[in-house]
Amino acid sequence: MISSTPLSAVVICFNEEEIISSCLNALLRVADEIVVLDSFSTDKTPEICRSKGVRFYQQKFIDYGSQKQDAVKLCRFDHILSVDADEILDEELVAAILGEKQKGLASCYILNRKTYYCGQWIRHCGWYPDLKIRLWHKAHAHWNQNKLHEVVDLIDPNAKPLKLNGHIDHYSYRTVSDHVFQLENFANLFAEDYFAKGIKSSFSKKFFSPVWKFFKMYIFKAGVLDGKYGFLICKRSAYGVYLKYKRLELLQLTKKQKLS
């Protein structure tokens, strides 16, 4: 690909054989290299990735922030485009990125993500618009080290990222059961992260925070307009908040018992 600015696309993944091919096909249209950091998938993900000619690596998964930053370190070029394995660039976003490459990429860009949940695009619930820094120059930004809900931090907090047209299409959960299973995994990471930072659980956090979470998403973020799945998303998200603080409470109790 001939362009004024070379671009490295980076993906972390684990057992994504159903969608990784579509993810990589879109990236091949805009990237000068693709780096995949796999967490020792047991399905056909490694085989599919290698067939696409990506630079394929494997390492044990520790947490999201660390894994994504480790993947960036493997990239040859200064500009990074980071997507998850269940995300696909749409046509408008592909065109926007190619246009920016021809002009010369700026230091940082915000991309908009929309989520496909159980067969329905979600337009509310606080899930959309979902604006994230996903394209940046390594000298101007980096992944933070959050175990969960990792974000790209600007080195200069006063910098003004540009926004590109188009979407990252996020194919998240095929079933509500998939959502619940992921909440269980996220709760553990959340609790470990907060415990390490000295943040404590409490009765109010465990019981009132989930109630507030539901009403904020369902009423104030208009989740009600997403119908049945809007309600389920808000309900499950509230349960996820309860679960996080419950797991954090158990870590605190375990520490207290060891000290007594």
Side-chain angles (χ1 to χ4, degrees), residues 13 36-41 57-63 66-71 74:
C13 63
V36 175
L37 185 56
D38 178 71
S39 302
F40 296 103
S41 290
Y57 302 88
Q58 291 182 304
Q59 80 173 25
K60 181 180 178 181
F61 181 84
I62 300 175
D63 59 65
S66 299
Q67 195 83 350
K68 288 187 176 182
Q69 189 57 33
D70 286 346
L74 297 169

Side-chain angles (χ1 to χ4, degrees), residues 161-178:
L162 302 177
K163 182 180 179 299
L164 293 183
N165 293 328
H167 292 88
I168 297 174
D169 291 339
H170 179 212
Y171 294 87
S172 60
Y173 306 109
R174 297 176 181 85
T175 67
V176 176
S177 296
D178 289 342

Side-chain angles (χ1 to χ4, degrees), residues 61-64 147-148 185-193:
F61 181 84
I62 300 175
D63 59 65
Y64 286 96
K147 293 179 181 293
L148 184 63
N185 293 331
F186 284 175
N188 292 328
L189 290 171
F190 173 93
E192 291 169 6
D193 193 32

Side-chain angles (χ1 to χ4, degrees), residues 64 108 138 199 205 223:
Y64 286 96
C108 198
K138 285 191 281 189
I199 299 172
K205 289 178 180 177

Side-chain angles (χ1 to χ4, degrees), residues 7-10 27 31-35 55 74-77 80:
L7 177 64
S8 295
V10 61
L27 293 177
D32 299 273
E33 70 164 357
I34 299 176
V35 172
R55 295 175 56 215
L74 297 169
C75 294
R76 293 171 177 157
F77 303 122
I80 306 298

